[in-house]
C-alpha cells in the first residue's frame, strides 16, 4: 500500500507541470480574433523583429528574431494575444 501511495504521489508531481501549462488556443470565431498587426506591434514593443505570423487552429504562431539575433518560435491565443507556453500549440 505504501508503494502505491508513493507511486501515485510521484505521478501527480510529474503530471502537475503539464496540467498547469498556461493558456490554450482560442475557440472563438475568426471574427473575434485580434489583428496580426496588433500582435506585431506588441512584439516589436518587446524588442522582437517579426518575420512571420501564421494562424493555426485559434493560435497565432510567430517566427521572430530576438534582440540578440536568436530565432524564436512563439504561440499566442488569437483572441486574447496571451502568450502560450507551448510554441506548437496550434499544431496539436
Amino acid at each position: 500500500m505504501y508503494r502505491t501511495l508513493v507511486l501515485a504521489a510521484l505521478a501527480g508531481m510529474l503530471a502537475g507541470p503539464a496540467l498547469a501549462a498556461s493558456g490554450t488556443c482560442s475557440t472563438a470565431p475568426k471574427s473575434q480574433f485580434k489583428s496580426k498587426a496588433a500582435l506585431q506591434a506588441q512584439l516589436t514593443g518587446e524588442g522582437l523583429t517579426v518575420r512571420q505570423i501564421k494562424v493555426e487552429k485559434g493560435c497565432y504562431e510567430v517566427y521572430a528574431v530576438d534582440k540578440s539575433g536568436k530565432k524564436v518560435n512563439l504561440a499566442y491565443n488569437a483572441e486574447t494575444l496571451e502568450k502560450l507556453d507551448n510554441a506548437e500549440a496550434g499544431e496539436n
Side-chain angles (χ1 to χ4, degrees), residues 28-92:
K30 287 186 179 186
S31 62
Q32 294 182 4
F33 289 2
K34 294 200 176 167
S35 70
K36 288 181 184 180
L39 179 58
Q40 182 160 355
Q42 174 183 320
L43 297 171
T44 301
E46 294 174 7
L48 295 171
T49 302
V50 177
R51 297 176 61 181
Q52 183 180 15
I53 299 176
K54 297 187 331 186
V55 180
E56 291 195 7
K57 298 180 185 174
C59 281
Y60 284 133
E61 187 168 350
V62 178
Y63 299 92
V65 178
D66 68 11
K67 294 175 186 176
S68 66
K70 179 182 173 192
K71 291 181 183 178
V72 293
N73 182 11
L74 308 165
Y76 290 82
N77 178 300
E79 182 182 5
T80 64
L81 300 186
E82 172 191 10
K83 183 178 177 183
L84 306 179
D85 289 339
N86 179 5
E88 305 297 326
E91 296 179 12
N92 296 332

